[in-house]
Amino acid sequence: MYALTPMDAPVVDVRALRKVYRVTERETGLAATFRSFVRRRYREVLAVDGITFHIDPGEVVGFLGPNGAGKTTTLKMLSGLLHPTSGEATVLGHVPWRREGDFLRGMTLLMGNRSQLVWDIPAADSFLVLKEIYAVPAAQYKRTLDELTELLDLGPLLHKLVRGLSLGERMKVEFAAGLLHSPGVAFLDEPTLGLDISMQGRIRRFVAEYNQRSGATILLTSHYMDDVVALCRRVIVIHHGVLLYDGALADLAERMAPYKRISVTLRGSVGDLSTFGEVVSSNENLATIHVPRAQAAERTARLVRELGDQLADISVEDPPIEEVIDKVFASERPLAETTA
Amino acid sequence: MIRIYRQLLVAQIQAAAQYRIQALLWMLFSIIRPVIFLAAWTAVSTAQGGSVGGYTTSDFAAYYIALTIVGHLTTAWNSFEFEFEVRQGRLSPKLLRPLHPLHYSVVENLIWKVTTFLPLMLVCLVIALTFQVRWSGEWWHLALFVPSIVLAAALSFMIGWVVATATFWLQRINTVNTLLQRTSFIFAGQIAPLSLMPAALQVISYSLPFAYILAIPAEILRGGVTLERGLLYLVGQAVWLGLSIVAFRFAWRAGLREYSAVGA
Ligand SMILES: Nc1ncnc2c1ncn2[C@@H]1O[C@H](COP(=O)(O)OP(=O)(O)O)[C@@H](O)[C@H]1O
Ligand SMILES: [Mg+2]
């Protein structure tokens, strides 16, 4: 499909990518203004600090990190909006920030909080402009639009002014606009931001289905872990611009959370269980205990032995993904360093 | 490319239709200034017995009407619009597409000029009748005017874009714009026809691009140049256009390296 990328080569290839923003300090007062003409003052913001990863064709990868971690900055570099301060990247075999035509025609960047459409006209008219800009052949355009209309239920929305659409409706239309040219790579930045639960689910199913039908490679950020759990087998976690984890979502808890969660149900009321581990919740006959990962088996055995007949049920699990992520992000320094 | 322009045209005419009133106000505003100067020079020339430095009252009227038309056809808001777009985060979506952002403003620019051209001509006709203008040109003045106004409009447009790129470094470019407008006001033949200006100012005027946008096409339209001079002016316009395109390409590339996609 992409002449420049052999089938097995990564679609997104990022090496030691770094971005430092220079923010002009605003000074007040006349003298300061004059001084700033001569010598400008900058504050540097390190947004992305040398991250390396690659993504294979057709993968759907979740890009996680708290606010300010550098996710959006990375996606902007990968879509060619920003020049990095250092490091290299190729997407579809192109250096993104050279903004070559073949690259731009092969990818899309969708941002949940930004609109790409003209608000004063119906989406259908914007679509026709996009069709010409991307030089989509008429037959392919019709097929794609029909497909998107069906998947996203766009029918009634296309001929209304964009400014009259609700947030959820607009997001569906934005999705269609961003995918009309059938990009092989899609960068989705918070695509479900601010949408209600059912619309989130709708968008989520759409992304999954789009990936299956088109084989497009997708890198997605989201605040909602549900999005990630539903869509991504693989996640990349960054914090303070540094890559913390890159691997299977299923292994994230094992790698990132140093503890397991034991839930016990008792026949009577819960007594003092603090000798078994950190009791995070207990009420009536239910209790949840966090124990160090390595000692999970031994503690469980001890619980069974010492509680004996009192024990009605017991289970040992990884903590839920949200909790793991929150813990990781709560740590000020990269976890990789603190646990080493 | 023609197909892209056609679709952009359809889309943007719709969007622009909502701003018709503003468009008309802007147009009227751009007429007022030449009329004020016309009135002043008419007063001076009447006081001096009907002519100043070879310009009769009617010549002044013809010049300023020509200047109004030229001013209208060479208007370019690019720099203002671009700064606004960058601040609103509307540049980024355009940068993601395989079409240079410049093309959107070509279409906007053309729509503005075409939609306001008729009312403008009506106003000019009223002024012409009021000041009893006689056109003193030859047919080849009109033939020269066509390429001249196209070059002038393109030059004005490209200079607007060069200034627009300053947004990448300065965030706010009102100062640059004001400076440019003041300079253009002095050297583009708005205060007086170039040949009435002091010799030193004339030299500066002919070395800067501004007169090639306003005074020169206006003199050609009025019929106030010889054929050789007219052709020479066209060359001057072409050279400035070439320089502005080169400057733009350079500034654009350098500017994109600085672009931080704020608010987008
Ligand atoms: N245009 C900008 N200019 C200066 N600093 C910025 C800009 N955009 C983002 N930042 C800063 O860079 C860091 C990373 O931001 P961002 O990439 O938006 O993170 P995320 O998308 O993960 O929330 C933050 O500290 C943010 O304040
Ligand atoms: Mg972000």
Side-chain angles (χ1 to χ4, degrees):
Chain A
M1 195 164 167
Y2 315 108
L4 285 164
T5 6
M7 276 314 278
D8 51 346
V11 172
V12 177
D13 193 357
V14 177
R15 275 150 290 152
L17 204 59
R18 224 170 151 269
K19 178 71 189 181
V20 180
Y21 288 107
R22 285 204 304 177
V23 186
T24 316
E25 295 273 316
R26 271 217 168 274
E27 291 178 78
T28 47
L30 194 64
T33 306
F34 271 110
R35 226 180 306 128
S36 75
F37 270 111
V38 187
R39 213 172 120 250
R40 293 188 145 268
R41 286 176 177 279
Y42 293 107
R43 190 164 48 86
E44 298 205 324
V45 179
L46 177 57
V48 175
D49 192 9
I51 57 175
T52 299
F53 62 86
H54 47 256
I55 302 177
D56 289 327
E59 273 193 285
V60 183
V61 177
F63 197 29
L64 306 180
N67 264 328
K71 305 179 298 292
T72 301
T73 303
T74 305
L75 294 189
K76 282 177 180 169
M77 288 191 279
L78 294 182
S79 53
L81 287 179
L82 294 181
H83 284 247
T85 307
S86 64
E88 291 164 49
T90 57
V91 173
L92 297 168
H94 298 270
V95 175
W97 41 94
R98 286 193 195 139
R99 300 182 47 250
E100 288 153 335
D102 281 345
F103 164 72
L104 295 174
R105 275 185 289 274
M107 67 99 203
T108 198
L109 168 69
L110 276 166
M111 306 181 123
N113 54 349
R114 290 288 154 196
S115 177
Q116 322 213 19
L117 295 166
V118 184
W119 283 39
D120 298 324
I121 60 175
D125 293 295
S126 286
F127 286 6
L128 287 173
V129 175
L130 292 173
K131 165 181 179 280
E132 298 304 339
I133 289 179
Y134 286 97
V136 185
Q140 187 197 327
Y141 174 76
K142 189 176 177 319
R143 207 171 346 106
T144 313
L145 184 58
D146 286 349
E147 196 174 308
L148 290 168
T149 304
E150 180 214 314
L151 282 175
L152 288 165
D153 199 11
L154 295 179
L157 308 180
L158 291 180
H159 298 283
K160 291 189 197 166
L161 292 190
V162 172
R163 75 164 65 257
L165 300 178
S166 73
L167 181 62
E169 292 173 331
R170 214 197 71 218
M171 211 45 225
K172 294 203 288 184
V173 176
E174 297 276 351
F175 255 92
L179 298 173
L180 272 179
H181 58 290
S182 311
V185 180
F187 301 113
L188 310 180
D189 196 14
E190 306 277 2
T192 54
L193 192 72
L195 302 184
D196 62 46
I197 302 284
S198 78
M199 191 58 82
Q200 281 177 31
R202 179 87 205 220
I203 295 283
R204 212 173 282 151
R205 281 194 301 281
F206 168 73
V207 172
E209 195 152 346
Y210 183 78
N211 164 257
Q212 257 153 35
R213 284 201 194 187
S214 68
T217 308
I218 295 171
L219 181 57
L220 158 135
T221 79
S222 181
H223 263 88
Y224 305 110
M225 278 309 293
D226 288 351
D227 287 347
V228 178
V229 172
L231 292 169
C232 314
R233 235 170 300 148
R234 173 181 165 201
V235 293
I236 294 173
V237 181
I238 66 169
H239 191 22
H240 298 310
V242 179
L243 194 140
L244 291 190
Y245 176 81
D246 179 357
L249 178 63
D251 300 338
L252 181 66
E254 196 183 317
R255 284 275 308 279
M256 298 299 236
Y259 59 90
K260 282 211 165 203
R261 157 187 285 208
I262 303 179
S263 306
V264 293
T265 312
L266 302 177
R267 294 198 201 286
S269 61
V270 174
D272 180 21
L273 297 174
S274 60
T275 54
F276 297 99
E278 184 195 347
V279 181
V280 286
S281 78
S282 90
N283 68 71
E284 313 245 325
N285 58 341
L286 297 172
T288 309
I289 309 166
H290 282 179
V291 300
R293 184 169 285 278
Q295 281 138 45
E298 177 248 319
R299 297 282 170 97
T300 312
R302 232 179 85 206
L303 271 162
V304 172
R305 208 168 52 232
E306 295 187 12
L307 292 173
D309 280 351
Q310 268 202 290
L311 192 63
D313 192 15
I314 185 163
S315 68
V316 185
E317 301 158 319
D318 277 321
I321 279 294
E322 273 97 343
E323 200 177 298
V324 176
I325 296 281
D326 282 349
K327 276 253 156 53
V328 171
F329 296 160
S331 68
E332 261 312 295
R333 290 167 58 229
L335 195 80
E337 283 174 34
T338 47
T339 53
Chain B
M1 197 50 112
I2 288 174
R3 294 167 61 97
I4 298 178
Y5 268 70
R6 206 184 55 203
Q7 276 312 330
L8 274 175
L9 205 68
V10 172
Q12 289 188 358
I13 282 178
Q14 286 187 68
Q18 310 191 14
Y19 303 102
R20 250 170 307 184
I21 307 291
Q22 276 115 304
L24 275 177
L25 285 179
W26 261 111
M27 195 204 66
L28 286 178
F29 191 72
S30 68
I31 292 169
I32 289 170
R33 190 189 263 175
V35 171
I36 290 172
F37 278 97
L38 170 54
W41 281 111
T42 305
V44 174
S45 109
T46 315
Q48 298 203 355
S51 113
V52 185
Y55 277 77
T56 65
T57 310
S58 161
D59 288 338
F60 276 118
Y63 176 75
Y64 275 107
I65 289 171
L67 199 67
T68 305
I69 297 170
V70 170
H72 177 73
L73 292 176
T74 56
T75 312
W77 320 111
N78 309 330
S79 50
F80 301 94
E81 258 168 27
F82 188 76
E83 186 204 59
F84 185 69
E85 284 208 325
V86 169
R87 223 173 327 128
Q88 298 279 305
R90 291 199 334 236
L91 176 63
S92 294
K94 290 185 179 174
L95 285 177
L96 293 172
R97 298 178 198 145
L99 178 71
H100 197 293
L102 181 142
H103 294 294
Y104 301 87
S105 52
V106 172
V107 174
E108 274 168 37
N109 192 290
L110 289 178
I111 291 175
W112 149 260
K113 284 168 187 175
V114 169
T115 49
T116 49
F117 191 68
L118 214 69
L120 177 92
M121 290 311 284
L122 285 177
V123 176
C124 285
L125 192 70
V126 172
I127 302 173
L129 292 175
T130 315
F131 287 87
Q132 297 176 332
V133 178
R134 231 182 49 255
W135 184 59
S136 56
E138 306 274 340
W139 67 268
W140 54 260
H141 279 116
L142 291 180
L144 271 189
F145 178 69
V146 175
S148 177
I149 191 66
V150 171
L151 285 169
L155 175 57
S156 163
F157 185 82
M158 288 316 299
I159 288 180
W161 268 97
V162 174
V163 175
T165 56
T167 309
F168 288 127
W169 290 273
L170 300 179
Q171 275 88 50
R172 294 293 168 100
I173 58 169
N174 336 18
T175 326
V176 184
N177 261 319
T178 311
L179 192 73
L180 205 76
Q181 280 179 347
R182 298 280 151 80
T183 319
S184 164
F185 179 60
I186 300 170
F187 297 109
Q190 300 190 59
I191 303 174
L194 289 187
S195 57
L196 294 191
M197 304 232 287
L201 284 184
Q202 280 191 45
V203 172
I204 300 174
S205 296
Y206 282 110
S207 335
L208 291 175
F210 308 107
Y212 295 88
I213 295 172
L214 287 174
I216 282 170
E219 278 296 358
I220 294 176
L221 177 59
R222 177 180 84 83
V225 295
T226 61
L227 184 55
E228 296 81 51
R229 267 219 147 209
L231 289 171
L232 205 65
Y233 284 156
L234 287 190
V235 173
Q237 289 183 303
V239 168
W240 269 115
L241 178 59
L243 285 176
S244 64
I245 291 173
V246 171
F248 170 68
R249 293 200 160 193
F250 185 78
W252 180 254
R253 272 169 165 255
L256 280 183
R257 306 192 136 266
E258 301 291 319
Y259 182 55
S260 63
V262 188

